[in-house]
Amino acid sequence: MKTVFVMIKCELGRTYDVAAHLADEIPEVRSVYSTSGNYDLLAQFQLGADQEIGRFITQEVQTTPGVKDTYTIIGLNAFTEDSVGTGPDPI
């Protein structure tokens, strides 16, 4: 599994529409937060090992109506309790 965080800029007045679309229509979404600053939303996605990150972002996230710009962060290791099972397999 791959964890990907995407910061999203929305068209003016579209933030809640974009958040609802991500939460309701994209099965890989784990959480969507509104944020302050340069971006309007922060979304966390959990992708399968066979899914290409770039293709997923360009075809699923960036094509969401109301999305203006994205910035992608790839999660490497999880260190928190609620992420058990999403990181590498224990040895």
Side-chain angles (χ1 to χ4, degrees):
M1 298 295 265
K2 304 172 200 171
T3 301
V4 180
F5 299 91
V6 182
M7 298 170 68
I8 301 166
K9 284 185 188 178
C10 301
E11 294 173 0
L12 292 177
R14 300 294 307 272
T15 300
Y16 283 83
D17 297 333
V18 172
H21 177 86
L22 296 174
D24 296 340
E25 303 295 328
I26 300 181
E28 292 87 353
V29 75
R30 292 297 168 258
S31 59
V32 181
Y33 294 92
S34 58
T35 60
S36 62
N38 293 330
Y39 289 86
D40 303 302
L41 297 171
L42 173 64
Q44 178 184 3
F45 300 95
Q46 193 74 43
L47 305 183
D50 61 329
Q51 286 180 285
E52 251 185 77
I53 294 170
R55 189 174 304 276
F56 174 80
I57 299 302
T58 58
Q59 292 181 348
E60 300 294 330
V61 180
Q62 292 178 345
T63 59
T64 297
V67 169
K68 188 175 176 180
D69 189 22
T70 62
Y71 182 84
T72 303
I73 301 167
I74 300 169
L76 301 177
N77 291 312
F79 297 100
T80 57
E81 191 67 32
D82 59 336
S83 58
V84 172
T86 62
D89 292 330
I91 296 176

